[in-house]
Amino acid sequence: MGGSNDWEVTNNEKRTLVLLGRTGNGKSATGNSILGSKEFNSKCSSNGVTSACELKTTRLDNGLIIDVIDTPGLFDFTGEPDVIGKEIVKCMELAHYS
Ligand SMILES: Nc1nc2c(ncn2[C@@H]2O[C@H](COP(=O)(O)OP(=O)(O)O)[C@@H](O)[C@H]2O)c(=O)[nH]1
Ligand SMILES: [Mg+2]
């Protein structure tokens, strides 16, 4: 270690990741893998376990900060369209202001 390589980043570099997809296809599990801990509730269910967008932050060994945003299955949601719309807006705000 100690040498420079192509993946090196400066300490204040940051990425925002939004996890999108159908319910049950592993968004929360993927988020937990990236965070390295069980932050998001992930389990086998055809009903979404995640009901609202949630942001968690982690810092990798190389200093890169990653904001991970988990979302409910926004496009197979059985809720009211305006509720879904508000959740999509909330998710975009989380990504924008993080
Ligand atoms: N075999 C396998 N199972 C997975 C994978 N990703 C997620 N799962 C499982 O699929 C189920 C649903 O995952 P979840 O993260 O809750 O999906 P979400 O609704 O998209 O957030 C859980 O039981 C996970 O353990 C994967 O890459 N491989
Ligand atoms: Mg989920």
Side-chain angles (χ1 to χ4, degrees), residues 22-75:
R22 296 187 73 85
T23 300
N25 67 4
K27 295 180 296 299
S28 300
T30 302
N32 288 337
S33 297
I34 293 164
L35 293 166
S37 62
K38 206 170 177 303
E39 301 279 346
F40 300 126
N41 196 356
S42 165
K43 64 176 179 218
C44 203
S45 163
S46 55
N47 300 322
V49 197
T50 312
S51 56
C53 298
E54 233 184 297
L55 183 147
K56 301 279 176 185
T57 302
T58 189
R59 189 192 182 101
L60 302 185
D61 288 345
N62 65 2
L64 179 66
I65 293 168
I66 303 185
D67 283 337
V68 184
I69 301 172
D70 190 25
T71 67
L74 290 172
F75 308 104

Side-chain angles (χ1 to χ4, degrees), residues 9-29:
V9 291
T10 57
N11 281 340
N12 56 7
E13 217 174 310
K14 195 169 153 177
R15 294 281 183 278
T16 304
L17 212 81
V18 182
L19 298 161
L20 296 174
R22 296 187 73 85
T23 300
N25 67 4
K27 295 180 296 299
S28 300

